[in-house]
Amino acid sequence: SQLPFGSSVLGPDADLGQKYGRQPSQQRTTLPTVLGSRPVSSEYLREGNPSSLGPIPDFDPEEMQVLYCRRALGCFIMFDVGSILFLAFNMSMSWLQVTLSTLFFVGPLCGAAAARRLQKPAATAYLVISVAKLVYLLFVILHFHRYWISVLAVFQLLIIWRAYRLWSAMRPLTAGHLQTLVDERFVL
């Protein structure tokens, strides 16, 4: 069903130059709610009354950096596993190359421990293994002339960058401080 030329969805008498939506004098008095829950006004929350959401923690910038890097590294670990599987199934390899590819699976396991439990030694191990994998990829590119692997090398550089960001963000924090951030409520 098409509209006749010159008419609008708003009706024939609608002023299209008028601004629609909430005017400054019409301020919202309630916060958005979930269907079935009672609305809570912003004044109610400002007065210090408890909300159903629980307390919202106030993080330092260093803590926020750790939480953001934790989340990002968790996503990049999946790329790392995918690249290892891609290498394993798309190359005819010798037993040494198969062994190296299998050892590279330790990297994502360390990265998962670093991202999930915020462990500094696991983050260091993942960073070292990721750099070793990049060196291996560069060796395969140059020695076997498989230039399509350079795409995986670029992804590996991104993984190394993310692992370094988490490692450097965790470095100034103590182990006890990191353990408080492991709480599931703080996952961004």
Side-chain angles (χ1 to χ4, degrees):
S1 67
Q2 294 184 350
L3 297 172
F5 181 76
S7 65
S8 71
V9 178
L10 300 173
D13 298 331
D15 180 13
L16 296 179
Q18 174 185 344
K19 293 186 179 191
Y20 292 95
R22 210 175 22 219
Q23 300 300 323
S25 62
Q26 304 170 334
Q27 294 188 3
R28 176 178 270 173
T29 58
T30 61
L31 297 174
T33 59
V34 177
L35 187 63
S37 67
R38 63 183 175 89
V40 177
S41 69
S42 56
E43 291 82 19
Y44 179 78
L45 291 177
R46 262 187 254 133
E47 292 171 1
N49 293 314
S51 70
S52 61
L53 300 174
I56 298 172
D58 187 28
F59 293 118
D60 295 334
E62 296 86 15
E63 295 169 334
M64 288 300 294
Q65 184 71 22
V66 168
L67 292 175
Y68 283 129
C69 290
R70 173 188 191 188
R71 177 72 159 195
L73 186 64
C75 296
F76 275 89
I77 287 171
M78 299 310 294
F79 287 120
D80 200 7
V81 169
S83 71
I84 292 170
L85 291 174
F86 186 77
L87 278 175
F89 290 119
N90 287 321
M91 292 180 59
S92 56
M93 296 191 215
S94 67
W95 66 271
L96 179 64
Q97 291 172 323
V98 170
T99 305
L100 280 175
S101 294
T102 305
L103 289 176
F104 286 136
F105 269 113
V106 174
L109 293 175
C110 291
R116 184 163 175 83
R117 297 187 198 121
L118 294 177
Q119 297 175 340
K120 289 180 187 180
T124 304
Y126 186 51
L127 188 58
V128 168
I129 291 170
S130 295
V131 170
K133 183 179 169 194
L134 178 65
V135 169
Y136 171 72
L137 289 174
L138 293 176
F139 172 75
V140 169
I141 290 168
L142 296 175
H143 189 277
F144 296 109
H145 304 289
R146 304 224 175 146
Y147 298 109
W148 57 270
I149 294 181
S150 60
V151 174
L152 295 179
V154 170
F155 278 122
Q156 193 63 33
L157 279 173
L158 291 172
I159 291 168
I160 290 170
W161 177 65
R162 280 296 173 187
Y164 175 75
R165 295 273 314 258
L166 178 66
W167 179 80
S168 65
M170 286 174 27
R171 202 173 43 172
L173 300 177
T174 64
H177 198 156
L178 290 172
Q179 287 306 313
T180 61
L181 294 176
V182 172
D183 190 0
E184 291 297 323
R185 294 176 295 162
F186 302 146
V187 176
L188 299 178

